[in-house]
Amino acid sequence: MSDIVYPPVIKTALGLFKALNLKFRLEGTENIPGTGGAVLVSNHVSYLDFIFAGLAAHPAGRLVRFMAKKEIFDNRIAGPLMRGMHHIPVDRDAGAASYKAALNALKGGEIIGVFAEATISRSFTVKEIKSGAVRMAVASKVPLVPVAIWGPQRMWTKGRKKRLLQRNVPVTILIGEPMHPKRGDDYDKVTEELHSRMSELLEKAQREYPDVPAKGETWWQPAYLGGTAPTPEEAAELDRREAEDRKARRESRPDAG
């Protein structure tokens, strides 16, 4: 697969991170396979996660093709970049096509990046995840690699203004040991194990994070650590209301019928 766009994008991003003096903690990079396909499954705390999850594979010299919602590809600026980096659009009304594209990429030796929570976690804990990532790994006979990211929520997350030029933000990226599910396994149990591993990695990243929130900034800390982020239950209710509002707006459009 020809990559004309991806390397310059990475180089630009790394240059920006250096200018902003972002402080990276990157651990477990040996868990990224040097060759062959893999499904990289990351938690989701910010709109920037695909950039940082992609960095998990950078030391291994690998590029990650992320599955992302179709709306991003429709954006006049982001769209050409996403297509140029060979990421995979996900249309929630026609998911079979994106699943097939991901399988083809995995069988071709690519690393596919998945945010199994589907949307950003407002509680900054790992939300419920579905078994799609496990099924892709089994169908393609490739490993699952859990990843936890912590820190980017301070720059841009759901319900907060962008602070993309914020300096000196620590960013933690932890890569867990690969899982090797196979046909005949209980996919729900494997998914539960994946969720557990991601949660353990995220909690480690959060508890060992070098910064503590300043006064008035406790919004970016999870409730279980004394922050004012919504609890998982409160976040689920907010997500439910948002989904209902989105459905109502969609149904009210003139072309809805």
Side-chain angles (χ1 to χ4, degrees):
M1 186 179 292
S2 175
D3 279 298
I4 300 173
V5 176
Y6 214 149
V9 169
I10 292 175
K11 187 175 182 180
T12 300
L14 291 175
L16 179 59
F17 298 157
K18 184 176 181 179
L20 294 175
N21 195 34
L22 299 191
K23 304 169 185 178
F24 286 96
R25 173 189 175 189
L26 184 58
E27 292 184 4
T29 56
E30 70 277 4
N31 292 319
I32 301 293
T35 59
V39 180
L40 187 154
V41 190
S42 174
N43 70 308
H44 203 4
V45 295
S46 85
Y47 293 108
L48 305 172
D49 290 339
F50 74 96
I51 300 174
F52 297 108
L55 289 181
H58 189 63
R62 305 296 305 275
L63 298 174
V64 182
R65 318 295 177 180
F66 285 95
M67 300 185 75
K69 61 184 180 181
K70 176 180 175 291
E71 288 78 3
I72 299 175
F73 292 78
D74 293 336
N75 183 279
R76 64 185 182 87
I77 297 175
L81 289 174
M82 295 293 282
R83 287 187 288 273
M85 291 184 280
H86 304 294
H87 296 313
I88 299 172
V90 177
D91 186 341
R92 292 175 181 173
D93 296 325
S98 57
Y99 184 80
K100 182 178 179 180
L103 289 184
N104 288 338
L106 288 166
K107 292 175 181 178
E110 299 285 349
I111 296 179
I112 295 297
V114 176
F115 296 106
E117 298 165 279
T119 58
I120 289 173
S121 171
R122 301 173 194 260
S123 67
F124 303 137
T125 60
V126 182
K127 297 167 59 175
E128 179 182 352
I129 63 177
K130 298 187 183 299
S131 61
V134 174
R135 294 176 185 277
M136 279 197 299
V138 171
S140 306
K141 299 180 180 180
V142 301
L144 278 170
V145 183
V147 174
I149 299 172
W150 187 241
Q153 78 279 5
R154 297 172 62 183
M155 293 181 279
W156 190 16
T157 193
K158 182 176 286 189
R160 292 281 168 176
K161 291 182 179 180
K162 300 177 190 177
R163 299 196 290 186
L164 299 178
L165 299 181
Q166 188 174 186
R167 296 177 55 81
N168 306 314
V169 174
V171 174
T172 300
I173 305 167
L174 304 182
I175 304 106
E177 294 183 3
M179 299 171 62
H180 299 274
K182 59 185 184 301
R183 290 193 185 278
D185 287 348
D186 185 323
Y187 294 164
D188 289 336
K189 287 186 177 179
V190 176
T191 301
E192 289 176 8
E193 176 63 21
L194 174 61
H195 184 281
S196 177
R197 293 194 187 194
M198 291 171 64
S199 295
E200 289 175 6
L201 287 170
L202 180 57
E203 183 172 335
K204 175 180 172 66
Q206 291 169 336
R207 290 191 182 279
E208 298 177 0
Y209 194 66
D211 279 8
V212 294
K215 187 176 181 180
E217 289 287 305
T218 55
W219 62 266
W220 61 259
Q221 189 81 306
Y224 86 93
L225 287 178
T228 55
T231 65
E233 294 77 18
E234 291 168 342
E237 177 61 17
L238 289 169
D239 287 344
R240 186 189 66 79
R241 292 179 186 175
E242 182 182 64
E244 287 184 351
D245 290 343
R246 187 166 55 243
K247 181 180 178 181
R249 289 195 301 271
R250 188 166 58 244
E251 291 176 348
S252 68
R253 292 173 185 166
D255 60 348

